[in-house]
């Protein structure tokens, strides 16, 4: 108490000055627009910086927790990959996997070369024998079927385009299930024809044509195109003009279809035809 | 000191009126304002208590502020000046101290002494005033030159008043 009094006695002038000056500056800031706004801006700035620092410190202190969470997430993702993606690379695993009974396996490929204006059009893809591509495999895109692999080298494969008059694909009408032989018209890259549909089948324009799955090249249900025109041919069958769902002019990403059970199917079929 | 109270009140009123009515409208070179009202604090007697200086500074500044719509600006500058006055007086104290019955004036202590005394306090007041007016440090040197030039003008005015008008 004594020392406090002495302190006050000694510094009362300075303290009084600070008091008065504080009062004056308070008046200044309260009554003058410009000083007020700059004062507010200044304090807001300091506040912002302070919060910035505290957030940084908080983040630093939480690093351990964050690390743990990231590790857990990492493990989950790794497990997910091991479960879902790693196994697909190993095709043998899938064949003996009776739980999934997977019949088709897809290889992603990119179109390197493509022609549409010739009578016999071919496509070159960037995946070959090394990626597991073999002749007679189907090629599809996200829009519909593309063609069938004809020859493979180590890293490339040549595909008979659907726009090739040599290629016939087994296709069916999605509505009724009647199937026929699909081939290219040979003229326009946008149209093909579906033959051998019985006369009595009720077909209308716009019906969807899909693969039948009989040839063991394509899975069942891959889109081929849509019925554009219906014509009677030879008195017993219809010939349908089909607009292709795949746009061959801007083909880029395709999938090569590997039928894992093809050998088995072929073997069984051959056994009976041989008899 | 009681005897001089009416005289100081009169000085106060005259200085405030001159400052508000005349000097506030003087703008030398576009931005130099002389502030002669600080003469009131300069001319207070030596015996004035320190707290009295602060109170009088507060009242003087606030009065000027109320007339020029700058509440707090002159007040804070005047308080600052009042705070410095005892220190300046101590620093400039003659060897044998200040005589009783004398005032801080040209007549009692000479022009040289008064020049130093008022110069220091006026410059301090003007610096404080101009920086609190601009309220930022970005135009530091421009504000500095404004404060110093205005201070010089105020000093000239005050010396003029001291020497020729008020004996």
């Amino acid at each position: 108490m004594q020392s406090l009094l002495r302190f006050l006695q000694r510094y009362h002038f300075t303290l009084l000055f600070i008091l008065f000056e504080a009062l004056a500056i308070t008046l200044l800031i309260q009554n003058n627009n410009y000083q007020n706004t700059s004062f507010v801006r200044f304090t807001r700035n300091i506040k912002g910086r302070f919060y910035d620092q505290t957030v940084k410190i908080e983040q630093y202190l939480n690093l351990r927790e964050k690390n743990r969470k990231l590790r857990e997430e990492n493990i989950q993702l790794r497990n997910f990959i091991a479960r879902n993606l790693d196994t697909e690379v190993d095709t043998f695993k899938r064949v003996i996997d009776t739980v999934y009974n997977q019949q088709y396996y897809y290889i992603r490929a990119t179109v390197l070369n493509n022609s549409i204006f010739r009578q016999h059009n071919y496509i070159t893809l960037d995946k070959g024998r090394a990626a597991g591509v073999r002749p007679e495999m189907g090629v599809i895109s996200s829009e519909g079927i593309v063609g069938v692999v004809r020859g493979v080298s180590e890293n490339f494969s040549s595909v008979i385009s659907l726009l090739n008059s040599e290629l016939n694909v087994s296709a069916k009408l999605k509505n009724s299930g009647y199937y026929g032989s699909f081939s290219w018209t040979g003229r326009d890259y946008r149209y093909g024809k579906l033959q051998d549909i019985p006369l009595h089948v009720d077909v209308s324009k716009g019906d969807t044509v899909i693969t039948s799955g009989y040839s063991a090249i394509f899975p069942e249900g891959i889109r081929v195109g849509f019925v554009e025109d219906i014509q009677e041919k030879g008195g017993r069958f219809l010939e349908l003009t089909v607009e292709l769902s795949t746009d061959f002019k801007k083909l880029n990403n395709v999938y090569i279809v590997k039928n894992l059970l093809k050998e088995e199917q072929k073997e069984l079929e051959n056994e009976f035809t041989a008899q | 000191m009681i005897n001089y109270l009416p005289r100081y009140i009169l000085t106060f009123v005259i200085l405030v009126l001159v400052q508000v009515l005349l000097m506030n409208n003087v703008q030398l070179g576009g931005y130099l304002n002389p502030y002669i009202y600080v003469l009131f604090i300069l001319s207070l007697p030596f015996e004035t208590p320190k707290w009295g200086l602060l109170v009088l500074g507060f009242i003087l500044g606030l009065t000027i502020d109320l007339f020029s719509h700058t509440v707090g600006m002159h007040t804070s500058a005047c308080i600052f000046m009042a705070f410095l006055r005892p220190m300046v007086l101590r620093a400039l104290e003659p060897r044998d101290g200040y005589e009783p019955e004398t005032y801080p004036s040209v007549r009692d202590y000479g022009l040289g002494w008064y020049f130093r005394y008022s110069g220091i306090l006026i410059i301090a007041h003007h610096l404080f005033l101009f920086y609190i007016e601009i309220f930022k440090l970005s135009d530091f040197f421009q504000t500095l030159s404004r404060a110093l030039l205005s201070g010089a003008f105020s000093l000239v005015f005050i010396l003029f008043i001291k020497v020729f008008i008020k004996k």
Side-chain angles (χ1 to χ4, degrees), chain A residues 12-14 16-18 20-21 23-25 27-29 31-32 34-36 38-39, chain B residues 50-51 54-55 58 70-73 75-76 79-80 83 86 128 132-136:
Chain A
H12 75 280
F13 182 51
T14 314
L16 206 61
F17 162 68
I18 290 168
F20 267 101
E21 202 62 278
L23 180 65
I25 288 174
L27 281 173
L28 176 86
I29 286 164
N31 292 290
N32 293 277
Y34 172 70
Q35 272 82 358
N36 190 6
S38 28
F39 180 72
Chain B
K50 288 173 167 184
W51 61 267
L54 291 178
V55 172
F58 183 81
T70 52
V71 176
M73 224 180 277
T75 316
S76 52
I79 292 166
F80 180 65
F83 173 71
F128 196 97
I132 205 114
E133 187 189 2
I134 202 91
F135 216 66
K136 60 186 174 197

Side-chain angles (χ1 to χ4, degrees), chain B residues 11-12 15-16 19 23 34-44 53 56-57 60-61 64 74-75 77-82 85 114 117-126 129 150-151 153-155 157-158 161-162 166:
Chain B
T11 315
F12 182 92
L15 279 174
V16 167
Q19 177 65 44
M23 292 302 176
Y35 293 108
I36 54 111
Y37 68 91
V38 293
L39 180 57
F40 179 74
I41 294 174
L42 290 176
S43 57
L44 285 171
L53 283 172
L56 286 172
L60 177 68
I64 298 290
H74 290 282
T75 316
C78 278
I79 292 166
F80 180 65
M81 185 182 160
R85 200 188 100 131
Y114 194 79
Y117 163 67
S118 57
I120 292 168
L121 286 179
I122 287 168
I123 295 298
H125 169 270
H126 280 55
L129 180 69
S150 291
F153 275 109
S154 303
L155 185 61
F157 271 103
I158 284 172
I161 292 166
K162 270 306 216 191
K166 208 170 149 193

Side-chain angles (χ1 to χ4, degrees), chain A residues 83-251:
Chain A
R83 256 202 317 276
N84 297 286
L85 300 177
D86 282 354
T87 45
E88 266 187 18
V89 175
D90 192 351
T91 47
F92 295 109
K93 224 174 206 170
R94 281 292 188 170
V95 175
I96 43 172
D97 189 351
T98 51
V99 179
Y100 286 95
N101 199 19
Q102 186 186 19
Q103 192 180 356
Y104 296 102
Y105 164 63
Y106 300 92
I107 302 160
R108 203 162 63 175
T110 304
V111 173
L112 297 178
N113 195 8
N114 183 16
S115 69
I116 55 171
F117 294 116
R118 278 179 245 148
Q119 275 296 305
H120 304 279
N121 291 305
Y122 292 96
I123 300 167
T124 310
L125 302 180
D126 68 340
K127 291 281 164 63
R129 200 177 293 120
V133 184
R134 299 286 180 275
E136 297 282 310
M137 282 182 180
V139 178
I140 61 170
S141 75
S142 54
E143 294 164 314
I145 64 168
V146 171
V148 176
V149 177
R150 188 195 55 169
V152 289
S153 65
E154 195 58 37
N155 291 307
F156 300 98
S157 53
S158 180
V159 175
I160 305 176
S161 171
L162 198 60
L163 309 181
N164 190 319
S165 42
E166 277 175 23
L167 184 67
N168 284 305
V169 178
S170 178
K172 67 180 181 183
L173 289 161
K174 195 181 179 183
N175 285 350
S176 51
Y178 283 95
Y179 71 94
S181 176
F182 179 85
S183 59
W184 186 37
T185 56
R187 286 186 297 275
D188 195 328
Y189 72 92
R190 285 177 302 168
Y191 296 101
K193 56 180 192 275
L194 181 61
Q195 292 167 304
D196 304 335
I197 300 292
L199 201 58
H200 62 85
V201 176
D202 191 9
V203 191
S204 49
K205 249 176 141 180
D207 279 358
T208 310
V209 179
I210 57 173
T211 55
S212 66
Y214 293 166
S215 61
I217 291 172
F218 293 108
E220 194 201 344
I222 304 293
R223 206 186 290 154
V224 175
F226 308 98
V227 175
E228 174 73 19
D229 192 21
I230 305 147
Q231 274 182 332
E232 213 181 304
K233 192 100 185 212
R236 285 170 56 218
F237 292 104
L238 289 174
E239 186 180 302
L240 309 175
T241 306
V242 176
E243 189 188 352
L244 299 175
S245 58
T246 306
D247 191 349
F248 281 85
K249 253 200 152 164
K250 58 173 191 183
L251 204 58

Side-chain angles (χ1 to χ4, degrees), chain B residues 77-145:
Chain B
C78 278
I79 292 166
F80 180 65
M81 185 182 160
F83 173 71
L84 289 185
R85 200 188 100 131
M87 298 174 203
V88 175
L89 281 178
R90 206 181 309 135
L92 297 176
E93 195 170 354
R95 200 175 300 151
D96 43 357
Y98 295 111
E99 302 278 328
E101 302 287 317
T102 58
Y103 296 93
S105 64
V106 179
R107 190 186 55 191
D108 289 341
Y109 290 96
L111 189 63
W113 179 88
Y114 194 79
F115 180 81
R116 274 177 282 150
Y117 163 67
S118 57
I120 292 168
L121 286 179
I122 287 168
I123 295 298
H125 169 270
H126 280 55
L127 282 174
F128 196 97
L129 180 69
F130 279 76
Y131 277 109
I132 205 114
E133 187 189 2
I134 202 91
F135 216 66
K136 60 186 174 197
L137 289 175
S138 52
D139 297 323
F140 184 84
F141 289 105
Q142 200 200 338
T143 312
L144 185 71
S145 66

